[in-house]
Amino acid sequence: MSSGSIYVSPDEKFHGSSPQWWYEKFWTEARPTRLRRRRWITGIGAVAGALLAIRFSLPLVLMAPLGAAAAAGGDLLFSWWDHERTAVWRGKRRGEVRTGRLLRRGLTKYGYSVLDGRAVPGEASIDHLVIGPGGVWIVDNEAWGPDVHIAQFGGKLFFDEKNGSAVAKGLTDAAAAMAGLLSRESGIDVEIQPVLAVHGGKLFTAGRPRVVVAEGLVLAYPRTVSRVLRGSGHAGYSEEQVELLSRTAARILRRIF
């Protein structure tokens, strides 16, 4: 799925290059600015360390460099993360690999099973199927540019000014198809909630963790998806039911990666 970017001007001279290419170009060109900012932050850190040394009678020769190093390190970490959060959008990382790892880390110890790359034969395919005591979810992955706002207005999903109904419908239809098949094959009444792990973009919501709910779809950052699933499921499946559903899903759903 693609989306617009504030980095791409409608001017003809921008045609023929992707938003990702321009992002990398501007990031590289901004390096001198980042270094100047880091020098200022390092100086402020040194002053802060010196003030702490005076206030608490600590060694000045130790605290000033320590404050400078902490400030510079913090700014370096911030810059790295600001760039790294676009890695999936830039094609440097695979979203499904990152999300799958986070789901296992956050859910396995609570009795949840995570199946990657599954599809209803001839119909829908998704990145992850999560089955646990709280219920069943499908989790897909999509990436957007760093300044794309994702929000719901009037119950409708939007990516900047673009209507996101097609995205929501695709995942809700996939959830319904999988739920029907899994219910028939397992003998357990199953409802599946679709979730979209958002790589990049900005979820426009006042809540924490940041979650957007619109048109039957839940959107969250990959690091918060596990928490969202644990907090939203109320199915009350037993350990035996979770095992049966997991084995049934592994048997009937075609593996795609």
Side-chain angles (χ1 to χ4, degrees), residues 92-105:
K92 301 299 182 182
R93 288 194 178 186
R94 294 176 58 186
E96 68 273 16
V97 173
R98 179 170 183 247
T99 301
R101 184 172 61 247
L102 291 169
L103 288 172
R104 286 180 174 80
R105 186 186 305 168

Side-chain angles (χ1 to χ4, degrees), residues 145-169:
D147 290 284
V148 173
H149 282 75
I150 302 169
Q152 71 87 17
F153 295 101
K156 297 294 185 180
L157 179 62
F158 287 90
F159 303 101
D160 278 343
E161 74 283 357
K162 296 181 180 179
N163 189 291
S165 295
V167 175
K169 186 177 187 305

Side-chain angles (χ1 to χ4, degrees), residues 129-132 134-138 174-193 235 237 241-242 244-246 248-249 252-253:
L129 178 67
V130 179
I131 303 171
V136 183
W137 297 262
I138 60 170
M178 286 197 174
L181 183 59
L182 196 54
S183 296
R184 289 193 302 270
E185 294 292 332
S186 67
I188 299 173
D189 188 25
V190 176
E191 291 186 5
I192 298 181
Q193 170 69 54
Y237 291 141
Q241 288 176 311
V242 171
L244 175 59
L245 288 171
S246 299
T248 302
I252 66 174
L253 298 177

